[in-house]
Amino acid sequence: MSAVAVKGWCPGALRPMRSGDGLVVRIRPRAGRLDAAQAAGIAELAARDTATA
């Protein structure tokens, strides 16, 4: 079995992790659920140009 390699930190809103095609952010919704408006807001933010982030 191969060893697990740690490649960074757990990315959050205050400290995102750059990836090959943008930023990675972990979203931790309250109670582990998002409503439709919240999910749409996250999708809208994800679709924005990362050059402005």
Side-chain angles (χ1 to χ4, degrees), residues 2-41:
S2 62
V4 175
V6 176
K7 300 195 185 234
W9 59 93
C10 182
L14 298 177
R15 191 171 172 210
M17 180 184 293
R18 185 152 307 277
S19 70
D21 61 351
L23 298 172
V24 176
V25 176
R26 173 178 277 179
I27 297 171
R28 293 178 225 153
R30 188 172 286 168
R33 296 181 185 265
L34 296 173
D35 62 31
Q38 292 168 321

